[in-house]
């Protein structure tokens, strides 16, 4: 089979298309013919060598994908040949607290990812894809979708009438917008682009703030909530935006820390968290149980992921450069 690996040293220019032996299923494993994959910022960092953890090379990158089960190992009972399944990011976090997640079993590093024609996956690490989604749409779910769901629903206990602030219009933020609107919540979105804000409003956002025009965007969010602040912030920016998120959230509200697109350098005053009695939690994607609950909601609400652009999977370099540019709205996907 064909696969793409990070070869020698990290770097987009060090990705190589190679021939690998066809995998054979061990006990309780399934072989999946990969139909589509989706990119996350983590994939970009691992490939560039800027991720906080360095993994042994060569490595097949990219954690998220969907495909058709083509072979079963002994003892497999959760799926059958012909089923269409998504991978899970945490291969052994089925449910419960984060204590159940094993760092050595993350797909796309340190375990080989899905940028290949076939992959061997544990039967406990696959979830049936929603039937109404295309392969490209279903491929976006394992990280961005589950992260948004785990933040708002599993951990955040989202309810109708809540006000949610999502930062930017990347994959996690757009999923959070869609899930919150589906639940009857009010969503405010930030962006550097008025055009993207209008696109977010077309998806159901109640309001948007252009942070280029309003550098102190927390003030605008407070005004949009009549002085109260939002119930929940999905924080993807890093320390600099976190300070404004603290100002934008209501007393006793929640901030889910998901990413650091704005960098990792900055100062956070813990007294600000104390004074406002804010719950701050890191969101490490989510468990298979969160994934399965999300799929039920996607099915029930007929939600369709937003795709920014699709590339052939062998054009991974071009797709990564588009992701690095930060101009996307929704997810960047790869057709296998």
């Amino acid at each position: 089979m064909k696969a793409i690996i990070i070869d020698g040293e990290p770097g987009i220019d060090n990705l190589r298309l190679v021939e690998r032996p066809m995998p054979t299923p061990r006990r309780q494993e399934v072989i999946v013919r990969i139909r589509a994959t989706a990119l996350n910022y983590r994939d970009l960092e691992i490939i560039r060598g800027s991720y906080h953890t360095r993994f042994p090379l060569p490595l097949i990158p990219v954690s998220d994908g969907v495909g058709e089960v083509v072979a079963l190992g002994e003892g497999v009972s959760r799926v059958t040949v012909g089923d269409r399944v998504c991978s899970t990011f945490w291969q052994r976090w089925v449910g419960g607290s984060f204590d159940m997640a094993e760092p050595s079993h993350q797909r796309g590093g340190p375990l080989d990812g899905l940028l290949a024609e076939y992959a061997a996956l544990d039967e406990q690490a696959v979830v049936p894809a929603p039937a109404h989604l295309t392969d490209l749409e279903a491929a976006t779910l394992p990280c961005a979708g589950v992260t948004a769901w785990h933040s708002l629903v599993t951990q955040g206990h989202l309810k109708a009438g809540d006000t949610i602030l999502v930062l930017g219009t990347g994959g996690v933020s757009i999923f959070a917008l869609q899930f919150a609107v589906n639940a009857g919540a009010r969503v405010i979105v930030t962006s550097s682009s008025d055009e993207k804000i209008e696109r977010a409003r077309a998806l159901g956002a109640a309001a948007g703030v252009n942070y280029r025009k309003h550098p102190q965007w927390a003030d605008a969010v407070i005004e949009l909530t009549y002085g109260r602040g939002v119930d929940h912030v999905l924080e993807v920016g890093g320390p600099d935006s976190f300070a404004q998120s603290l100002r934008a959230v209501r007393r006793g509200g929640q901030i889910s820390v998901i990413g650091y697109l704005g960098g990792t350098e900055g100062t956070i005053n813990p007294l600000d968290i104390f004074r406002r009695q804010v719950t701050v939690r890191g969101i490490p994607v989510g468990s298979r149980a969160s994934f399965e609950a999300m799929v039920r909601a996607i099915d029930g609400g007929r939600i369709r992921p937003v795709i920014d652009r699709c590339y052939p999977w062998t054009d991974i370099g071009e797709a990564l450069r588009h992701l690095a540019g930060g101009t996307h709205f929704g997810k960047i996907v790869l057709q296998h």
Side-chain angles (χ1 to χ4, degrees):
M1 71 166 189
K2 290 181 173 61
I4 292 177
I5 62 170
I6 312 169
D7 191 25
E9 292 292 330
I12 294 176
D13 292 334
N14 291 328
L15 292 169
R16 299 283 182 264
L17 181 65
V18 298
E19 290 287 338
R20 284 279 183 93
M22 272 289 297
T24 56
R26 297 178 297 181
R27 178 176 174 79
Q28 293 188 314
E29 279 189 342
V30 300
I31 304 301
V32 175
R33 171 68 171 95
I34 305 300
R35 299 297 186 188
T37 47
L39 296 181
N40 296 288
Y41 193 70
R42 177 182 187 268
D43 302 318
L44 175 64
E45 288 210 310
I46 289 172
I47 290 167
R48 292 195 301 197
S50 56
Y51 193 58
H52 57 73
T53 303
R54 295 290 289 268
F55 300 120
L57 301 179
L59 174 72
I60 299 175
V62 180
S63 61
D64 291 12
V66 66
E68 178 186 352
V69 176
V70 295
L72 307 176
E74 181 185 356
V76 170
S77 60
R78 294 191 65 246
V79 296
T80 189
V81 170
D83 286 353
R84 192 174 65 136
V85 297
C86 297
S87 64
T88 63
F89 174 72
W90 293 99
Q91 297 287 284
R92 293 189 176 180
W93 187 12
V94 174
S97 73
F98 184 58
D99 290 344
M100 304 301 292
E102 296 183 34
S104 62
H105 284 78
Q106 298 171 80
R107 187 59 63 180
L111 296 181
D112 273 337
L114 303 180
L115 203 59
E117 292 182 310
Y118 295 87
L121 303 174
D122 191 295
E123 70 161 331
Q124 299 297 331
V126 297
V127 172
H132 71 286
L133 299 187
T134 67
D135 289 337
L136 295 176
E137 291 169 332
T140 68
L141 300 179
C143 277
V146 174
T147 297
W149 181 268
H150 199 72
S151 301
L152 292 180
V153 182
T154 307
Q155 296 290 328
H157 306 292
L158 174 71
K159 61 184 183 299
D162 283 351
T163 301
I164 312 300
L165 174 64
V166 298
L167 306 188
T169 55
V172 174
S173 296
I174 295 301
F175 270 118
L177 162 61
Q178 292 176 292
F179 295 151
V181 169
N182 189 62
R186 180 173 184 252
V187 180
I188 300 170
V189 61
T190 68
S191 176
S192 62
S193 163
D194 288 339
E195 179 186 356
K196 287 184 177 182
I197 288 173
E198 287 308 308
R199 293 181 66 184
R201 290 175 69 93
L203 291 171
V209 178
N210 186 319
Y211 59 78
R212 298 286 187 208
K213 297 178 179 178
H214 303 280
Q216 298 301 310
W217 48 263
D219 295 337
V221 172
I222 291 296
E223 185 175 343
L224 286 168
T225 56
Y226 309 103
R228 179 175 182 270
V230 299
D231 297 290
H232 200 144
V233 182
L234 269 76
E235 171 55 61
V236 301
D240 286 344
S241 65
F242 187 90
Q244 295 214 54
S245 292
L246 270 174
R247 289 172 48 212
V249 72
R250 69 169 174 82
R251 294 178 66 183
Q254 305 177 64
I255 300 176
S256 288
V257 178
I258 292 163
Y260 43 89
L261 296 176
T264 57
E265 300 297 326
T267 301
I268 297 170
N269 185 349
L271 286 178
D272 290 337
I273 299 172
F274 172 77
R275 293 187 187 105
R276 300 183 66 78
Q277 290 295 288
V278 176
T279 297
V280 180
R281 64 173 67 89
I283 300 295
V285 188
S287 66
R288 196 190 81 201
S290 279
F291 198 153
E292 291 167 333
M294 178 192 73
V295 166
R296 292 192 294 271
I298 289 172
D299 274 333
R302 311 304 287 178
I303 296 169
R304 305 197 78 103
V306 176
I307 293 175
D308 177 84
R309 194 174 298 180
C310 176
Y311 295 85
W313 72 286
T314 51
D315 288 349
I316 177 65
E318 186 178 349
L320 287 166
R321 291 183 181 95
H322 179 50
L323 176 63
T327 61
H328 55 289
F329 184 97
K331 295 292 291 181
I332 298 167
V333 294
L334 304 169
Q335 178 78 60
H336 285 237

